[in-house]
Amino acid sequence: MSLILGSWHFSANLDFENSFQKMMQALTVLPHNDRNAIIEKTTAFGQFLTYNTPEAIYEKQPVYLAEEQILFTAAARIDNRRQLAQTLKINADSQVSDGSFVLKAYLQWGKDCVNHLRGDWSFAVFDYKKQELFIARDPMGYTALHYYQNEEGFYFSSSIAALLALPEYPKKLNEEYLVRNLTLWGETEVEFARQTPFQSIYLLGNAQTLTIGANKRIEIQTYWHPHTISIKKYRKKQEYADEMLELLTNAVQNRLRCYKPVASQLSGGLDSSTVSFIAADLLKRENKVLTTFSHVPFFVEEVLKDKENAYRIMDETPYIMETARASGNIRPILLDSKNYSLLRGIKEIITLSNNVLHGATNVYWGLDGIKTAGEQGFGAILTAEGGNSNISFAGIDYLLPFSFSTAARHPYLFLKKQILKPIAYKYFRNWLNSKRRIVFSTEKYVQNIFLQPAVLNHYDIINDIRNNKTDPNRYYPDILELKKLFIELYQPRSYFGGLFNHFFGIEYRDPTVDVDLIEGFFRMPNEAFFDEDYNQRMLVKRMMRGKIPDKVLFEPKKGLQSADLSYKAKAEAAEITATIEAVRYSPAANEYIDMKKLADTWNTYLSLPYVEPYEIQRLMKALLFALFLQKNFD
């Protein structure tokens, strides 16, 4: 995806152009095909162009329209070009760039154009007549847009690196963001989702616009509200599956438009198998083969003997190969990332994102996959990160409508799931959590994440968790609440996917978060995700039955990411030990991370024959945060 940036100085300033050039220079390390900028009066816009679609070679951004007196720049893959061309009465041939479509849409509808655009996009407009800046981004795409304001001006960029390079920006840690992200304490709060690790630098959220005018006040609006969509009722459940299959096929088709060949991630699970199968079927019509990239464990013998194997699929290779065989048009590439260490991934993600993230132990294979795909000449990789919460959504069994036939056939299940379960979840949640095989309790997580006690006490986190019951809620009074949660939880994935797109010159594209598909998902009633025997995730199984093998569709166990993590960490012990020692006495790291406890815990792990994967995950996450602090604040 291309990258945009810009600045608006509120008054004439001799350093204005110098500041903007610093922003541009900070991004020259990124692998874009071209870069351009326009400085007009006290406003400057730039674009770093990636040839992400065939039409991108004709992209000319930013542009200044003298008659309208607007400065404009965009980064976009527009999926509804044909419909827009008809409405706007413009040519949709291969020489009209996607950025041009966004500009034409803005000239036609103004700020309301955001409701007419489909795809992954962001854009900025400065109106010299109104002295007003307007920036916007798509609802659910892999897109990132940061901004910063001080007394002198307003600055924005797809990459936070441009803002950190500003001479005007005093680099300071956003302590509460760091603490919340490390501990998962209150992480889903709306205000928290807009923040970054750096004070005063914010994110524009999914489906949001930002306007700032002559009064220098920022106004943020959310323009897409799928939770207001009415439920649709069909007579037969298969009709829901047919509708969703059509929507998903269109979403995949739109994301195959690329300047270079398109590959796909294939984990062996329901979502990636569905997306890959559909993509391969569409490419077959063009006599093209779909290449898929899959992460598989290097320590195969060990994981197959692991006790976790009884509950999870530790090696998904057989399921990957089953889907490839059923398709007949998939070339699977299996990556065990044996030469890509955990710490290499962690250090690289800190460099490319200037941020911290929860999934520290999954980074290495994600980076390995996207780099390998880029080296092999691919321009985009299809993902299915959003699929668990729409096409393979589980639904809520205790909210199913009453059915005499189901109650008669399954009286025990009816009593258990639709009578006792909601009562237990509502009134005995803490007791149920204590009986789970692997307990996720926010309180226990916080106590074992290596946060310094002084910081823990300063924010009074444990008491807040106990008093406000901030453990994950398993009781939802209606299906809509759980669907809305999906939109909120996808934002970090959307953000980091956008950063990957900028850094590697190859795009992640997720058809499962296509706007039309998500709106279709919100129209689905709860019962669409079940059969008459209380079996869940039935929507995708109806969609793909007879296509994807039953072995994949009806496998009861889930795959485990980084399944050989414990064995990989042991094999890379020397590198991890050396890194812990190197950061152990960092002043910035030690202010927040108990590095002595972390080092002692790691040494204990080394003496044990086996360590649970989630223990390694916590330690490596804390180490990632320590390395981030050392790099940015020592």
Side-chain angles (χ1 to χ4, degrees), residues 234-253:
Y234 285 130
R235 288 180 61 244
K236 297 180 179 179
K237 291 182 179 179
Q238 185 60 42
E239 294 180 82
Y240 297 113
D242 293 342
E243 178 181 317
M244 288 299 276
L245 180 58
E246 181 180 356
L247 289 170
L248 181 59
T249 301
N250 289 336
V252 173
Q253 179 73 75

Side-chain angles (χ1 to χ4, degrees), residues 11 72 110 139 145 189 206 331 355 368 398 467 475 486 603:
S11 60
F72 178 89
L145 205 55
E189 293 181 9
N206 292 17
R331 181 175 73 99
N355 211 323
D368 188 22
Y398 58 80
N467 295 334
Y475 175 75
F486 154 60
N603 288 330

Side-chain angles (χ1 to χ4, degrees), residues 6-11 42-43 45 71 106 111 123-136 145-156 194 200 202 204 208-221:
S7 65
W8 172 28
H9 269 239
F10 299 143
S11 60
T42 58
T43 310
F45 282 2
L71 184 61
Y106 177 80
K111 296 176 183 179
F123 70 89
V125 185
F126 188 80
D127 188 321
Y128 288 90
K129 294 177 183 177
K130 296 180 180 178
Q131 286 294 290
E132 181 181 270
L133 176 66
F134 178 74
I135 62 175
L145 205 55
H146 310 79
Y147 63 92
Y148 164 66
Q149 181 183 6
N150 62 14
E151 292 182 0
E152 287 81 32
F154 182 92
Y155 314 83
F156 68 89
R194 291 182 51 242
S200 304
Y202 298 94
L204 191 63
Q208 286 190 336
T209 67
L210 181 151
T211 304
I212 177 170
N215 61 9
K216 313 303 185 295
R217 283 200 289 268
I218 291 174
E219 179 185 351
I220 293 176
Q221 292 186 337

Side-chain angles (χ1 to χ4, degrees), residues 139-247:
M140 294 292 288
Y142 284 129
T143 312
L145 205 55
H146 310 79
Y147 63 92
Y148 164 66
Q149 181 183 6
N150 62 14
E151 292 182 0
E152 287 81 32
F154 182 92
Y155 314 83
F156 68 89
S157 174
S158 305
S159 171
I160 199 171
L163 302 182
L164 295 175
L166 281 167
E168 296 93 335
Y169 177 67
K171 192 174 183 181
K172 292 182 180 179
L173 176 67
N174 181 349
E175 180 180 277
E176 186 172 345
Y177 175 91
L178 183 96
V179 172
R180 287 186 181 274
N181 211 315
L182 179 65
T183 61
L184 305 183
W185 164 60
E187 62 165 347
T188 59
E189 293 181 9
V190 174
E191 193 62 28
F192 172 67
R194 291 182 51 242
Q195 296 184 23
T196 73
F198 301 97
Q199 282 186 28
S200 304
I201 295 180
Y202 298 94
L203 281 171
L204 191 63
N206 292 17
Q208 286 190 336
T209 67
L210 181 151
T211 304
I212 177 170
N215 61 9
K216 313 303 185 295
R217 283 200 289 268
I218 291 174
E219 179 185 351
I220 293 176
Q221 292 186 337
T222 301
Y223 61 85
W224 183 61
H225 306 279
H227 59 275
T228 62
I229 295 173
S230 299
I231 292 291
K232 179 188 286 187
K233 293 286 187 177
Y234 285 130
R235 288 180 61 244
K236 297 180 179 179
K237 291 182 179 179
Q238 185 60 42
E239 294 180 82
Y240 297 113
D242 293 342
E243 178 181 317
M244 288 299 276
L245 180 58
E246 181 180 356
L247 289 170

